Amino acid sequence: MITGSAAGTDGTAGECGTGPDVAPRARGEWARHWRPAGLPGLDLLRARYVRHSFPRHAHDGYVVCAVTDGIEEIGFTRGPVRAGPGEVVMINPEVAHTARAGAPEGWAYATLYPSAGLVAEIAEETTTMRGTAGFAETVIEDPHLGRLITEVHRAAEAGNALAADTLLRLTVARLLRRNGGPLPSRTPRTAGARTAARATVLLNARMADPPSLEKLAQELGTSPFALLRAFKDAYGMPPHTWLTDARVRRARSLLEAGRPPAEAAVAVGFTDQPHLNRHFTRIVGVPPGAYRRARTPEAGGAITYKTAGGTAP
């Protein structure tokens, strides 16, 4: 799916438009986020962003992206890192981060989102790693690997699932062999971490009508500030930010199952569809309506959007 802008609005298939699934874009921005047919466990994003910035969020799978132009700045709790052409960014599951342009011209990239199950399968077959496999580095300079990542996209866009799957597995295997390592256990070890984990269970269960921080802390037998500190230490963001991210994740699942955006918005606790649109587009990078249409069988896994303001390669 390609989303772009002209005069501050998204267009569809070459025309400017407005509507519940159309989000504002800076001139020159576009994004294609889709799931290719024949490649289970993989999402793809190819985009150019200039003013768009991703708020703090995390993924339940892995992120592997090749920056092809400009500079991307990724913000972690330990501080920001920057990546440019020829560099590859790797982010492990549940690692909180932000992303924005690190230069006035923005940045362009090709991103792979392999699921945890797919990476575990590749790791088991190609490494001797014990435990959950992950990446030990965040940014590496590897132009050849960057080209492999873009070739995965080209093969998938051409409908060549065999080539795309082959290149994907070669890419992940190379990353794991050269930059991989076992991820630390996620089992909460401290009392604060256990409290934070219990908080996520309660927030997930009451996503549509969450308690206040004070009431949540009371239910967990702690104080609001103690819960806030423990939660940020465990998840890299405060509970309200985590909840917004969790709502968007659940909305994605509902959209993938065919639910209309308006229904998904109410089901996950957003006040209305525009509320979902705003947060979904900021975190995922494309509007929820376009995201849903890209996953319908008749779309074949991808829909293209572009306007005079943003031209996709």
Side-chain angles (χ1 to χ4, degrees):
M1 111 191 31
I2 303 293
T3 61
S5 71
T9 60
D10 272 0
T12 301
E15 62 185 14
C16 296
T18 60
D21 65 333
V22 175
R25 282 271 186 258
R27 180 171 294 274
E29 290 191 339
W30 53 266
R32 184 183 195 185
H33 192 300
W34 61 299
R35 178 170 298 163
L39 291 173
L42 177 68
D43 273 28
L44 299 174
L45 170 66
R46 199 153 59 93
R48 173 180 291 279
Y49 295 117
V50 180
R51 292 187 307 191
H52 182 82
S53 62
F54 292 85
R56 193 161 299 279
H57 66 288
H59 302 269
D60 52 11
Y62 296 77
V63 181
V64 177
C65 75
V67 178
T68 56
D69 190 41
I71 301 292
E72 180 186 16
E73 182 174 296
I74 309 100
F76 297 99
T77 54
R78 65 180 183 273
V81 299
R82 293 159 64 87
E87 293 183 301
V88 175
V89 178
M90 299 162 286
I91 304 175
N92 292 315
E94 305 303 343
V95 173
H97 61 283
T98 62
R100 64 178 184 178
E105 68 271 21
W107 85 99
Y109 62 173
T111 304
L112 312 175
Y113 296 102
S115 68
L118 179 57
V119 171
E121 176 189 328
I122 296 170
E124 182 178 4
E125 187 174 354
T126 62
T127 75
T128 58
M129 208 177 300
R130 294 180 178 273
T132 303
F135 304 119
E137 303 291 336
T138 301
V139 178
I140 59 170
E141 185 174 0
D142 193 331
H144 174 68
L145 190 61
R147 287 191 293 272
L148 277 179
I149 292 170
T150 60
E151 287 300 323
V152 174
H153 279 258
R154 290 193 182 98
E157 288 162 0
N160 191 341
L162 177 61
D165 194 18
T166 300
L167 292 167
L168 167 68
R169 291 171 186 273
L170 289 173
T171 298
V172 174
R174 174 172 171 150
L175 281 171
L176 290 173
R177 286 196 300 267
R178 296 189 175 191
N179 306 282
L183 294 178
S185 172
R186 294 182 188 171
T187 304
R189 298 185 181 276
T190 66
R194 289 192 293 271
T195 299
R198 290 168 56 207
T200 65
V201 173
L202 289 174
L203 290 173
N204 266 319
R206 294 153 64 180
M207 185 174 287
D209 187 22
S212 67
L213 180 65
E214 182 179 9
K215 290 183 178 179
L216 182 61
Q218 288 176 351
E219 291 187 40
L220 296 169
T222 187
S223 71
F225 279 104
L227 174 59
L228 183 58
R229 285 193 298 269
F231 204 100
K232 290 179 72 174
D233 286 344
Y235 298 103
M237 58 185 110
H240 70 278
T241 303
W242 182 94
L243 178 61
T244 298
D245 188 31
R247 283 173 165 168
V248 168
R249 289 197 207 186
R250 188 172 296 181
R252 288 177 68 167
S253 297
L254 294 175
L255 294 169
E256 290 166 9
R259 296 277 291 276
E263 290 184 14
V266 174
V268 303
F270 288 116
T271 54
D272 51 26
Q273 187 173 338
H275 192 197
L276 168 66
N277 289 354
R278 184 166 63 254
H279 289 292
F280 193 99
T281 304
R282 289 182 67 210
I283 289 175
V284 181
V286 295
Y291 181 91
R292 175 177 178 262
R293 289 196 300 274
R295 281 154 172 77
T296 58
E298 58 270 21
I303 293 180
T304 298
Y305 295 85
K306 53 187 175 182
T307 69
T311 302

